[in-house]
Amino acid sequence: GAGVSQSPSNKVTEKGKDVELRCDPISGHTALYWYRQSLGQGLEFLIYFQGNSAPDKSGLPSDRFSAERTGGSVSTLTIQRTQQEDSAVYLCASSLRTGPTYGYTFGSGTRLTVV
Amino acid sequence: KQEVTQIPAALSVPEGENLVLNCSFTDSAIYNLQWFRQDPGKGLTSLLLIQSSQREQTSGRLNASLDKSSGRSTLYIAASQPGDSATYLCAVTRLPGANNLFFGTGTRLTVIP
């Protein structure tokens, strides 16, 4: 597609439930990132995928968080046993590749509310 | 560790005024620097990207400069409009081997009609 697409745009879930957030990057983009932004806070790096390489999971806050990227395209971020502190906007970004001439395109985000 | 700082945190200006937003970073070993805007409850929209070898980039009323040696970038907005009201974020990418953007905390701009 023309841009990075994220779904759902909003998700309200009960504490303890599992949620899946989807990111559809720009076609052909090899790099994909997940960030989250808590209310009034800056962007927090979660995970990075580059091509077929093993993902960099160093930003995942706990083992309740996991992500996969199938076929080098669509990515799913899964949060198990959600907690109220997981409430945030989850943003996905993609880039054609890493390098000085390549910028990042962000999706509109998924606003997750855990009640 | 790369740290990115944006000053001021918030800025209010009357419509039509020119303004400058500042971004500083501690590690000059960067690939590029990107300026984004974020509207409330929305994702990030890319405004300008400056490669590490460049000094400035321009798009319409926006001009971004980069002084890598001093670890500074500025975003200049000419003839501000109420529609420019948003949070402006700068982000730097590190040299090869890195795998994420380092974001500043943003400047919240309000342009008063």
Side-chain angles (χ1 to χ4, degrees), chain B residues 23 25 35 66 88-89 95 108-110:
Chain B
C23 172
F25 47 95
W35 282 94
L66 175 64
Y88 290 80
L89 297 159
L95 288 179
R108 188 171 67 252
L109 173 67
T110 303

Side-chain angles (χ1 to χ4, degrees), chain B residues 60-111:
Chain B
R61 294 183 293 109
L62 305 180
N63 176 279
S65 69
L66 175 64
D67 184 341
K68 201 174 75 162
S69 61
S70 67
R72 293 180 184 177
S73 176
T74 62
L75 179 66
Y76 174 83
I77 302 177
S80 58
Q81 302 171 358
D84 295 331
S85 297
T87 295
Y88 290 80
L89 297 159
C90 69
V92 297
T93 59
R94 291 182 294 174
L95 288 179
N99 48 35
N100 55 39
L101 294 171
F102 288 89
F103 281 92
T105 50
T107 294
R108 188 171 67 252
L109 173 67
T110 303
V111 180

Side-chain angles (χ1 to χ4, degrees), chain A residues 33 35 37 48 56 100 103-104, chain B residues 32 34 38 41 49 51 99 101:
Chain A
Y33 298 77
Y35 289 85
Q37 187 175 34
Y48 162 76
D56 178 353
Y104 297 83
Chain B
N32 57 39
Q34 200 164 355
Q38 185 175 31
L49 179 143
Q51 299 175 44
N99 48 35
L101 294 171

Side-chain angles (χ1 to χ4, degrees), chain B residues 5-81:
Chain B
T5 305
Q6 290 187 246
I7 295 173
L11 179 65
S12 291
V13 300
E15 181 177 2
E17 194 163 292
N18 303 326
L19 60 101
V20 175
L21 307 180
N22 298 290
C23 172
S24 62
F25 47 95
T26 55
D27 186 349
S28 63
I30 63 170
Y31 252 161
N32 57 39
L33 183 145
Q34 200 164 355
W35 282 94
F36 297 89
R37 72 173 275 169
Q38 185 175 31
D39 294 283
K42 304 292 186 182
L44 278 68
T45 300
S46 179
L47 297 173
L48 289 165
L49 179 143
I50 311 177
Q51 299 175 44
S52 60
S53 59
Q54 298 175 327
R55 298 285 291 184
E56 67 177 344
Q57 283 288 326
T58 298
S59 176
R61 294 183 293 109
L62 305 180
N63 176 279
S65 69
L66 175 64
D67 184 341
K68 201 174 75 162
S69 61
S70 67
R72 293 180 184 177
S73 176
T74 62
L75 179 66
Y76 174 83
I77 302 177
S80 58
Q81 302 171 358

Side-chain angles (χ1 to χ4, degrees), chain A residues 19-78:
Chain A
V19 295
E20 284 190 353
L21 312 180
R22 176 187 169 106
C23 172
D24 201 341
I26 293 174
S27 179
H29 278 199
T30 62
L32 186 148
Y33 298 77
W34 283 97
Y35 289 85
R36 75 175 175 181
Q37 187 175 34
S38 302
L39 187 62
Q41 302 297 312
L43 276 80
E44 176 188 4
F45 165 74
L46 297 177
I47 189 169
Y48 162 76
F49 296 90
Q50 174 59 55
N52 296 320
S53 302
D56 178 353
K57 306 178 182 180
S58 61
L60 295 179
S62 78
D63 58 8
R64 296 185 296 104
F65 288 72
S66 63
E68 62 177 21
R69 188 179 185 191
T70 54
S73 180
V74 172
S75 177
T76 302
L77 177 69
T78 301

